Amino acid sequence: MSPSSTPSLPLGTSPAFAGMHKWLKRGLIVCLTALVIEGAFTVPFCFIYYGWPTLSLQDVCSELMRVRYSDDNVVCQYPYPLFGPAEGELAKKTAQDRWGVLPRPLYKRIGFRELVTIHNERLARQAASKT
């Protein structure tokens, strides 16, 4: 077989493994496409699960951080300062997690649209404390 009749292969691919490389490439493209589609649907469904139409996206973020760090004063900043501290850095002192080889968070699991209830209860407590 002359060199002019062989198909051009990518650098580093021998003719014996050209078919395997072709199918690996196709499989990887399918998997990466599936991951992108999954991510595109997961984030909106998570926001709806936590209460998006009732709460704004910033409220959902703030309520999640308040539950996570057990601190009613934590808020999500948007836009976040370019050289600001890491997210939650100031609130890590109030987190009630049990640290070890497998850290265990001590906050309760948040159910479907439960952040709306938590948010309304927090607003009622704040209004009661002001009067």
Side-chain angles (χ1 to χ4, degrees), residues 10-32:
L11 190 62
T13 302
S14 64
F17 293 108
M20 180 186 70
H21 284 194
K22 176 179 68 173
W23 285 104
L24 274 174
K25 183 178 177 182
R26 288 177 181 172
L28 288 172
I29 289 172
V30 167
C31 289
L32 288 174

mmCIF file of all heavy atoms in Angstrom, residues 10-32:
data_model
loop_
_atom_site.group_PDB
_atom_site.id
_atom_site.type_symbol
_atom_site.label_atom_id
_atom_site.label_comp_id
_atom_site.label_asym_id
_atom_site.label_seq_id
_atom_site.Cartn_x
_atom_site.Cartn_y
_atom_site.Cartn_z
ATOM 1 N N PRO A 10 -5.485 11.403 12.393
ATOM 2 C CA PRO A 10 -4.985 12.397 13.337
ATOM 3 C C PRO A 10 -3.612 11.989 13.864
ATOM 4 O O PRO A 10 -3.284 10.795 13.928
ATOM 5 C CB PRO A 10 -6.014 12.398 14.467
ATOM 6 C CG PRO A 10 -7.236 11.792 13.884
ATOM 7 C CD PRO A 10 -6.766 10.870 12.805
ATOM 8 N N LEU A 11 -2.827 12.948 14.254
ATOM 9 C CA LEU A 11 -1.482 12.696 14.735
ATOM 10 C C LEU A 11 -1.518 11.763 15.938
ATOM 11 O O LEU A 11 -2.291 11.970 16.875
ATOM 12 C CB LEU A 11 -0.826 14.031 15.116
ATOM 13 C CG LEU A 11 0.661 13.982 15.410
ATOM 14 C CD1 LEU A 11 1.420 13.527 14.170
ATOM 15 C CD2 LEU A 11 1.151 15.338 15.862
ATOM 16 N N GLY A 12 -0.753 10.708 15.936
ATOM 17 C CA GLY A 12 -0.677 9.770 17.043
ATOM 18 C C GLY A 12 -1.639 8.608 16.934
ATOM 19 O O GLY A 12 -1.665 7.746 17.803
ATOM 20 N N THR A 13 -2.441 8.547 15.895
ATOM 21 C CA THR A 13 -3.398 7.457 15.716
ATOM 22 C C THR A 13 -2.853 6.488 14.675
ATOM 23 O O THR A 13 -2.565 6.875 13.552
ATOM 24 C CB THR A 13 -4.758 8.004 15.248
ATOM 25 O OG1 THR A 13 -5.239 8.923 16.192
ATOM 26 C CG2 THR A 13 -5.765 6.876 15.080
ATOM 27 N N SER A 14 -2.746 5.240 15.082
ATOM 28 C CA SER A 14 -2.289 4.233 14.122
ATOM 29 C C SER A 14 -3.511 3.687 13.376
ATOM 30 O O SER A 14 -4.634 3.747 13.880
ATOM 31 C CB SER A 14 -1.546 3.106 14.844
ATOM 32 O OG SER A 14 -2.428 2.438 15.715
ATOM 33 N N PRO A 15 -3.319 3.154 12.200
ATOM 34 C CA PRO A 15 -4.459 2.629 11.439
ATOM 35 C C PRO A 15 -5.223 1.540 12.194
ATOM 36 O O PRO A 15 -6.429 1.404 12.052
ATOM 37 C CB PRO A 15 -3.822 2.077 10.163
ATOM 38 C CG PRO A 15 -2.551 2.827 10.009
ATOM 39 C CD PRO A 15 -2.085 3.116 11.412
ATOM 40 N N ALA A 16 -4.533 0.761 13.032
ATOM 41 C CA ALA A 16 -5.193 -0.318 13.764
ATOM 42 C C ALA A 16 -6.205 0.229 14.784
ATOM 43 O O ALA A 16 -7.203 -0.420 15.078
ATOM 44 C CB ALA A 16 -4.150 -1.170 14.478
ATOM 45 N N PHE A 17 -5.956 1.418 15.327
ATOM 46 C CA PHE A 17 -6.831 1.986 16.367
ATOM 47 C C PHE A 17 -7.718 3.122 15.864
ATOM 48 O O PHE A 17 -8.391 3.780 16.638
ATOM 49 C CB PHE A 17 -5.991 2.493 17.540
ATOM 50 C CG PHE A 17 -5.311 1.389 18.289
ATOM 51 C CD1 PHE A 17 -3.949 1.218 18.176
ATOM 52 C CD2 PHE A 17 -6.039 0.524 19.071
ATOM 53 C CE1 PHE A 17 -3.310 0.199 18.859
ATOM 54 C CE2 PHE A 17 -5.417 -0.497 19.756
ATOM 55 C CZ PHE A 17 -4.046 -0.668 19.653
ATOM 56 N N ALA A 18 -7.720 3.360 14.566
ATOM 57 C CA ALA A 18 -8.501 4.476 14.012
ATOM 58 C C ALA A 18 -9.994 4.282 14.261
ATOM 59 O O ALA A 18 -10.703 5.230 14.616
ATOM 60 C CB ALA A 18 -8.226 4.614 12.523
ATOM 61 N N GLY A 19 -10.494 3.079 14.107
ATOM 62 C CA GLY A 19 -11.921 2.815 14.335
ATOM 63 C C GLY A 19 -12.298 3.018 15.799
ATOM 64 O O GLY A 19 -13.357 3.577 16.115
ATOM 65 N N MET A 20 -11.438 2.548 16.707
ATOM 66 C CA MET A 20 -11.707 2.714 18.129
ATOM 67 C C MET A 20 -11.736 4.206 18.493
ATOM 68 O O MET A 20 -12.623 4.661 19.231
ATOM 69 C CB MET A 20 -10.646 2.019 18.970
ATOM 70 C CG MET A 20 -10.864 2.157 20.466
ATOM 71 S SD MET A 20 -9.534 1.491 21.443
ATOM 72 C CE MET A 20 -8.240 2.664 21.121
ATOM 73 N N HIS A 21 -10.812 4.967 17.962
ATOM 74 C CA HIS A 21 -10.768 6.406 18.246
ATOM 75 C C HIS A 21 -12.022 7.097 17.729
ATOM 76 O O HIS A 21 -12.568 8.003 18.370
ATOM 77 C CB HIS A 21 -9.521 7.025 17.624
ATOM 78 C CG HIS A 21 -8.276 6.726 18.392
ATOM 79 N ND1 HIS A 21 -7.106 7.392 18.179
ATOM 80 C CD2 HIS A 21 -8.011 5.827 19.375
ATOM 81 C CE1 HIS A 21 -6.167 6.921 18.991
ATOM 82 N NE2 HIS A 21 -6.704 5.962 19.720
ATOM 83 N N LYS A 22 -12.496 6.675 16.545
ATOM 84 C CA LYS A 22 -13.699 7.271 15.962
ATOM 85 C C LYS A 22 -14.897 7.029 16.885
ATOM 86 O O LYS A 22 -15.675 7.946 17.170
ATOM 87 C CB LYS A 22 -13.945 6.676 14.570
ATOM 88 C CG LYS A 22 -15.227 7.162 13.919
ATOM 89 C CD LYS A 22 -15.420 6.570 12.542
ATOM 90 C CE LYS A 22 -15.680 5.086 12.670
ATOM 91 N NZ LYS A 22 -16.043 4.437 11.422
ATOM 92 N N TRP A 23 -15.062 5.788 17.383
ATOM 93 C CA TRP A 23 -16.214 5.479 18.239
ATOM 94 C C TRP A 23 -16.078 6.101 19.628
ATOM 95 O O TRP A 23 -17.078 6.498 20.238
ATOM 96 C CB TRP A 23 -16.426 3.973 18.324
ATOM 97 C CG TRP A 23 -17.041 3.485 17.045
ATOM 98 C CD1 TRP A 23 -16.419 2.808 16.035
ATOM 99 C CD2 TRP A 23 -18.390 3.696 16.633
ATOM 100 N NE1 TRP A 23 -17.288 2.570 15.013
ATOM 101 C CE2 TRP A 23 -18.523 3.110 15.358
ATOM 102 C CE3 TRP A 23 -19.485 4.315 17.189
ATOM 103 C CZ2 TRP A 23 -19.710 3.131 14.655
ATOM 104 C CZ3 TRP A 23 -20.676 4.325 16.496
ATOM 105 C CH2 TRP A 23 -20.775 3.733 15.246
ATOM 106 N N LEU A 24 -14.861 6.190 20.131
ATOM 107 C CA LEU A 24 -14.655 6.884 21.407
ATOM 108 C C LEU A 24 -15.028 8.365 21.290
ATOM 109 O O LEU A 24 -15.678 8.926 22.169
ATOM 110 C CB LEU A 24 -13.192 6.764 21.861
ATOM 111 C CG LEU A 24 -12.827 5.518 22.643
ATOM 112 C CD1 LEU A 24 -11.334 5.469 22.886
ATOM 113 C CD2 LEU A 24 -13.573 5.458 23.950
ATOM 114 N N LYS A 25 -14.635 8.980 20.211
ATOM 115 C CA LYS A 25 -14.952 10.389 19.985
ATOM 116 C C LYS A 25 -16.464 10.587 19.902
ATOM 117 O O LYS A 25 -17.013 11.513 20.514
ATOM 118 C CB LYS A 25 -14.271 10.872 18.704
ATOM 119 C CG LYS A 25 -14.467 12.324 18.409
ATOM 120 C CD LYS A 25 -13.698 12.722 17.140
ATOM 121 C CE LYS A 25 -13.929 14.161 16.786
ATOM 122 N NZ LYS A 25 -13.222 14.506 15.543
ATOM 123 N N ARG A 26 -17.141 9.713 19.164
ATOM 124 C CA ARG A 26 -18.600 9.823 19.064
ATOM 125 C C ARG A 26 -19.267 9.627 20.424
ATOM 126 O O ARG A 26 -20.204 10.334 20.781
ATOM 127 C CB ARG A 26 -19.135 8.794 18.062
ATOM 128 C CG ARG A 26 -18.809 9.122 16.640
ATOM 129 C CD ARG A 26 -19.308 8.043 15.712
ATOM 130 N NE ARG A 26 -18.963 8.339 14.322
ATOM 131 C CZ ARG A 26 -19.146 7.507 13.333
ATOM 132 N NH1 ARG A 26 -19.683 6.311 13.551
ATOM 133 N NH2 ARG A 26 -18.811 7.846 12.105
ATOM 134 N N GLY A 27 -18.803 8.640 21.189
ATOM 135 C CA GLY A 27 -19.366 8.381 22.514
ATOM 136 C C GLY A 27 -19.163 9.555 23.463
ATOM 137 O O GLY A 27 -20.069 9.926 24.223
ATOM 138 N N LEU A 28 -17.983 10.150 23.421
ATOM 139 C CA LEU A 28 -17.714 11.312 24.277
ATOM 140 C C LEU A 28 -18.579 12.505 23.890
ATOM 141 O O LEU A 28 -19.071 13.233 24.758
ATOM 142 C CB LEU A 28 -16.232 11.689 24.207
ATOM 143 C CG LEU A 28 -15.291 10.730 24.926
ATOM 144 C CD1 LEU A 28 -13.842 11.085 24.622
ATOM 145 C CD2 LEU A 28 -15.545 10.755 26.413
ATOM 146 N N ILE A 29 -18.793 12.718 22.621
ATOM 147 C CA ILE A 29 -19.648 13.830 22.185
ATOM 148 C C ILE A 29 -21.081 13.612 22.655
ATOM 149 O O ILE A 29 -21.736 14.537 23.138
ATOM 150 C CB ILE A 29 -19.559 13.998 20.645
ATOM 151 C CG1 ILE A 29 -18.197 14.563 20.266
ATOM 152 C CG2 ILE A 29 -20.672 14.889 20.128
ATOM 153 C CD1 ILE A 29 -17.918 14.604 18.786
ATOM 154 N N VAL A 30 -21.573 12.377 22.568
ATOM 155 C CA VAL A 30 -22.931 12.074 23.043
ATOM 156 C C VAL A 30 -23.029 12.306 24.547
ATOM 157 O O VAL A 30 -23.986 12.919 25.042
ATOM 158 C CB VAL A 30 -23.328 10.629 22.666
ATOM 159 C CG1 VAL A 30 -24.574 10.176 23.411
ATOM 160 C CG2 VAL A 30 -23.526 10.514 21.169
ATOM 161 N N CYS A 31 -22.047 11.830 25.320
ATOM 162 C CA CYS A 31 -22.072 11.997 26.785
ATOM 163 C C CYS A 31 -21.993 13.467 27.184
ATOM 164 O O CYS A 31 -22.720 13.914 28.081
ATOM 165 C CB CYS A 31 -20.935 11.210 27.419
ATOM 166 S SG CYS A 31 -21.182 9.429 27.365
ATOM 167 N N LEU A 32 -21.124 14.236 26.546
ATOM 168 C CA LEU A 32 -21.014 15.655 26.880
ATOM 169 C C LEU A 32 -22.279 16.415 26.516
ATOM 170 O O LEU A 32 -22.719 17.301 27.254
ATOM 171 C CB LEU A 32 -19.795 16.261 26.185
ATOM 172 C CG LEU A 32 -18.442 15.831 26.751
ATOM 173 C CD1 LEU A 32 -17.304 16.375 25.889
ATOM 174 C CD2 LEU A 32 -18.287 16.296 28.183
#
